[in-house]
Amino acid sequence: KLMGGMVQSMIASGGKITGLDWLTTARQGGVAWTGLSNDFLTGILPTVIQELGGMRTGTSLMTSYQTMLGSTTLRKQQLDMMRKLGIIDESKVTTDKGGRVNIGVGAIKGSSEGMSDPYTWTQKILRPALEGAGFKTLQAQREVMAKIFPNRNANRMFDIFLDPQSVAR
């Protein structure tokens, strides 16, 4: 089923997505790739691959996965923005001796879903949190996303998920 969905996306893209794009996405995505849902892989991911290319898409997936999992140290502005949006569980936030902020598994609201289907997480968790905090325009949401996901590749992927024109595609 997965291979069929990948081939269909290559055909539907008119050759813009190739087997090499899928391979580089999987290689760069690493562990993040293995946990993605089939619906995301064959339904949403091809659009991201078309826009970012395989390597950047894989990097985006891994960066967002590491953030959701809590395996990276958060910057202060990331944590502050997550707090403002109400998507962080404070009981799972610690600060080490150097003042770095670390989050535990599950600290970000809906992180399990975010690791398997970042698009659905964006629509169900992130977008409502952004709008609830007063960030109603795409431009305002982009400014917030730059703080939550400072890596340009991950930031671009989530921008695709928030942009109504990209969502329509």
Side-chain angles (χ1 to χ4, degrees):
K1 182 180 177 183
L2 178 59
M3 184 59 79
M6 293 167 99
V7 170
Q8 285 177 352
S9 72
M10 290 189 284
I11 293 167
S13 74
K16 289 182 182 176
I17 299 176
T18 67
L20 182 59
D21 291 320
W22 283 107
L23 178 63
T24 55
T25 299
R27 280 185 178 165
Q28 288 297 115
V31 142
W33 167 270
T34 63
L36 295 172
S37 73
N38 284 346
D39 288 341
F40 178 78
L41 278 168
T42 59
I44 303 297
L45 194 58
T47 301
V48 180
I49 293 172
Q50 278 188 21
E51 293 201 29
L52 300 181
M55 187 166 289
R56 286 191 181 110
T57 299
T59 301
S60 302
L61 292 169
M62 194 62 205
T63 301
S64 65
Y65 176 88
Q66 289 174 318
T67 301
M68 295 277 185
L69 184 62
S71 63
T72 58
T73 300
L74 292 183
R75 297 177 180 172
K76 184 178 181 328
Q77 70 175 0
Q78 284 175 288
L79 181 63
D80 289 346
M81 191 52 69
M82 288 181 190
R83 284 176 171 149
K84 186 172 187 172
L85 297 177
I87 61 171
I88 195 85
D89 179 349
E90 292 291 340
S91 70
K92 297 179 181 177
V93 176
T94 60
T95 305
D96 62 23
K97 291 179 183 179
R100 291 178 297 238
V101 177
N102 301 294
I103 62 171
V105 175
I108 298 174
K109 184 178 179 183
S111 58
S112 292
E113 184 171 38
M115 289 185 288
S116 68
D117 188 337
Y119 172 77
T120 299
W121 178 81
T122 302
Q123 298 304 314
K124 287 184 178 178
I125 305 290
L126 185 58
R127 182 184 302 277
L130 287 164
E131 291 173 355
F135 303 104
K136 298 186 186 286
T137 67
L138 182 58
Q139 185 57 41
Q141 292 172 356
R142 284 177 170 155
E143 291 169 9
V144 171
M145 292 309 299
K147 293 179 181 178
I148 295 175
F149 292 103
N151 173 280
R152 69 177 180 210
N153 295 313
N155 186 288
R156 179 67 181 116
M157 181 177 73
F158 284 98
D159 183 68
I160 292 168
F161 298 158
L162 285 170
D163 185 343
Q165 292 179 350
S166 294
V167 169
R169 283 194 302 273

